[in-house]
């Protein structure tokens, strides 16, 4: 069963970095898992703890945040806030017995299509090993 | 305003163990301002609880609501229909709201999802600090707008203790000495003579809880 398990990943992508990088993946002719869902947000700072947790609750095996590099956020601290919210949720996930690896963040720039693909694939493999979300 | 923080999720899960359908009720007043019990927090806690229970193989159904003010019976009344459908209520209002809900829905258990902590102000985004202990006889006019009851570690009413050092309280942890702050402020506003005014000891009943819960009664407002 685990063999055929294809982890569902929801990636929240900042419009100023992650989303552009995701767009580049196609141009680089790299492939991404079909079970990846991309949510475009104006800034990583717009991603609320509620959105991240509800993605996990509603069936994602893993959630990724793609934000600008630190000190390079166009809204100054959106990426830092996203990171802090992830930390807050890691605390809750720990208490309810949900593996912290199911929620992760990657800082990148617009031209990092390769890094985007690599991060998604790495998370895909990690989640495959971890198995389906225990709350699905 | 009243400040509170969420209880650890595992503690909440523990007292919700016997229940399979609950109402999670927030409050859109004070506790929403300190991001502990507003609409968004209802959503986050609900999601966390549902996931934890699903994982444990004991699903829980959660109805969600958020009152305008949970400490007012009129607003709590609006929760009635939902409350009738559930086995228990988990309230993430302050302790006052929890008790209003418990009083109004007297036949089902009502649990607190928050630890109500103090009355305070926003120090910076995400940081709140205690400012008033509702002592019942405000002395801020004598103390330059700095409360010695809430801000002095010993609640001294008439000047500092001997431990005040370079503006810091002797308890350490970078806590400013309230009496130094009072002195500085009185000096700034040209009222240093106030330092010599004696603040009397607090009175029984109105200024303490020795006579049970304190009440305010206004004849002009009663029906
Ligand atoms: S003196 Fe009493 S009422 Fe005034 S701020 Fe301090 S605790 Fe509150
Ligand atoms: S050092 Fe100042 S704040 Fe601390 S207990 Fe003494 S008088 Fe109160």
């Amino acid at each position: 069963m685990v063999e055929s398990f294809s982890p569902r990943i929801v990636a929240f992508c900042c419009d100023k970095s992650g989303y552009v990088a995701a767009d580049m993946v196609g141009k680089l002719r790299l492939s991404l898992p079909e079970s990846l869902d991309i949510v475009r947000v104006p800034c990583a700072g717009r991603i609320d703890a509620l959105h991240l947790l509800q993605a996990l609750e509603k069936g994602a095996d893993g959630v990724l945040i793609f934000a600008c590099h630190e000190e390079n956020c166009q809204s100054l601290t959106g990426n830092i806030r996203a990171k802090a919210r992830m930390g807050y949720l890691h605390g809750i996930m720990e208490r309810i017995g949900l593996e912290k690896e199911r929620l992760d963040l990657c800082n990148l720039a617009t031209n990092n299509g390769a890094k985007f693909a690599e991060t998604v694939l790495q998370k895909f493999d990690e989640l495959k090993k971890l198995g389906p979300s225990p709350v699905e | 305003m009243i400040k509170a923080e969420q209880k650890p999720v595992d503690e909440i899960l523990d007292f919700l163990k016997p229940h399979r359908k609950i109402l999670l009720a927030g409050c859109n007043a004070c506790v929403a301002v300190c991001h502990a019990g507003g609409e968004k927090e209802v959503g986050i806690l609900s999601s966390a609880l549902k996931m934890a229970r699903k994982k444990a193989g004991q699903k829980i159904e959660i109805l969600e609501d958020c009152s305008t003010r949970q400490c007012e019976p009129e607003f709590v009344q609006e929760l009635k229909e939902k409350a009738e459908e559930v086995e228990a209520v988990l309230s993430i209002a302050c302790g006052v709201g929890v008790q209003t809900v418990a009083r109004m829905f007297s036949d089902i258990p009502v649990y607190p999802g928050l630890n109500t902590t103090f009355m305070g102000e926003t120090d910076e985004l995400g940081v709140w600090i205690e400012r008033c202990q509702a002592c019942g006889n405000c002395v801020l006019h004598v103390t330059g707008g700095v409360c010695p009851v809430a801000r002095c570690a010993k609640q001294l009413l008439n000047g500092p203790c001997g431990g005040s050092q370079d503006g810091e309280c002797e308890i350490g942890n970078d806590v400013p000495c309230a009496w130094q702050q009072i002195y500085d402020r009185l000096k700034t506003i040209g009222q240093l003579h106030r330092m010599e005014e004696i603040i009397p000891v607090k009175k029984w009943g109105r200024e303490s809880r020795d006579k049970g819960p304190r009440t305010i009664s206004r004849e002009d407002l009663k029906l």
Side-chain angles (χ1 to χ4, degrees):
Chain A
M1 178 208 136
V2 175
E3 277 301 298
S4 60
F5 165 57
S6 179
R8 234 187 114 183
I9 299 178
V10 175
F12 288 90
C13 300
C14 161
D15 204 28
K16 309 290 189 302
S17 56
Y19 193 77
V20 188
D23 208 31
M24 186 182 270
V25 174
K27 287 179 202 140
L28 293 173
R29 297 186 184 280
L30 297 168
S31 59
L32 291 169
E34 272 180 33
S35 52
L36 171 75
D37 278 318
I38 288 180
V39 182
R40 183 179 186 176
V41 288
C43 168
R46 180 64 191 90
I47 311 164
D48 201 90
L50 182 64
H51 305 139
L52 298 168
L53 208 59
Q54 282 188 341
L56 288 167
E57 185 202 336
K58 297 202 157 68
D61 297 294
V63 172
L64 282 168
I65 302 167
F66 286 96
C68 303
H69 284 291
E70 290 195 8
E71 292 180 25
N72 210 17
C73 170
Q74 293 203 22
S75 319
L76 301 179
T77 55
N79 48 5
I80 306 287
R81 309 199 67 166
K83 188 177 165 188
R85 286 175 194 149
M86 179 177 74
Y88 175 73
L89 288 182
H90 278 165
I92 291 181
M93 290 167 75
E94 215 169 355
R95 285 186 187 270
I96 63 172
L98 202 58
E99 302 92 342
K100 284 202 268 189
E101 294 78 10
R102 295 192 187 274
L103 173 60
D104 222 337
L105 180 144
C106 167
N107 296 106
L108 43 51
T110 45
N111 59 0
N112 279 160
K115 187 175 178 183
F116 183 95
E118 192 186 312
T119 307
V120 170
L121 291 172
Q122 258 176 23
K123 190 49 76 182
F124 190 81
D125 286 343
E126 197 183 349
L127 290 169
K128 235 177 158 168
K129 280 187 203 124
L130 214 56
S133 163
V135 298
E136 262 180 79
Chain B
M1 271 184 166
I2 291 175
K3 302 298 171 198
E5 56 185 343
Q6 196 191 287
K7 279 183 177 291
V9 191
D10 38 0
E11 188 186 335
I12 298 173
L13 282 165
D14 196 48
F15 53 62
L16 288 183
K17 250 184 207 153
H19 306 297
R20 274 175 300 182
K21 187 172 182 182
I22 64 154
L23 165 62
L24 173 46
C27 172
N28 258 329
C30 305
V31 291
V33 176
C34 62
H35 300 264
E39 217 165 305
K40 197 188 281 178
E41 291 74 33
V42 167
I44 293 174
L45 182 58
S46 171
S47 191
L49 292 173
K50 279 187 274 183
M51 281 197 275
R53 287 286 292 260
K54 217 171 184 182
K55 186 171 174 284
Q58 272 192 311
K59 278 195 190 171
I60 187 165
E61 195 183 332
I62 303 184
L63 308 186
E64 299 174 15
D65 212 314
C66 200
S67 304
T68 307
R69 281 196 300 277
Q70 225 185 79
C71 53
E72 305 266 2
E74 290 89 334
F75 293 119
V76 175
Q77 190 63 28
E78 292 169 4
L79 302 173
K80 193 168 185 274
E81 246 173 62
K82 283 183 182 159
E84 277 167 358
E85 271 186 64
V86 296
E87 297 165 24
V89 180
L90 172 64
S91 159
I92 55 169
C94 73
V96 182
V98 178
Q99 293 181 64
T100 308
V101 174
R103 179 171 65 77
M104 294 193 57
F105 308 131
S106 53
D107 52 349
I108 50 169
V110 176
Y111 302 105
L114 302 185
N115 289 324
T116 304
T117 319
F118 52 75
M119 274 187 281
E121 65 166 314
T122 304
D123 195 30
E124 59 179 275
L125 210 62
V127 180
W128 298 277
I129 188 161
E130 183 165 24
R131 286 295 181 244
C132 172
Q133 289 203 345
C135 75
N137 188 5
C138 195
V139 298
L140 289 174
H141 57 298
V142 188
T143 57
V146 176
C147 173
V149 184
R151 296 168 71 167
C152 165
K154 293 174 189 161
Q155 305 191 320
L156 297 177
L157 292 177
N158 290 289
C161 71
S164 179
Q165 288 287 328
D166 304 321
E168 282 193 21
C169 172
E170 67 174 348
I171 59 166
N173 303 327
D174 293 328
V175 176
C177 166
W179 273 100
Q180 181 70 51
Q181 291 178 308
I182 292 169
Y183 177 88
D184 293 343
R185 172 97 175 117
L186 287 175
K187 194 170 175 187
T188 308
I189 61 174
Q191 293 190 1
L192 258 189
H193 60 276
R194 291 261 194 212
M195 284 295 289
E196 287 174 18
E197 269 179 52
I198 302 294
I199 299 175
V201 288
K202 295 285 173 196
K203 290 193 196 84
W204 290 73
R206 180 132 184 95
E207 300 174 24
S208 72
R209 279 179 294 276
D210 303 68
K211 286 188 180 158
R214 295 174 289 175
T215 53
I216 296 173
S217 178
R218 284 268 306 267
E219 291 307 322
D220 59 316
L221 295 176
K222 285 184 184 172
L223 284 178

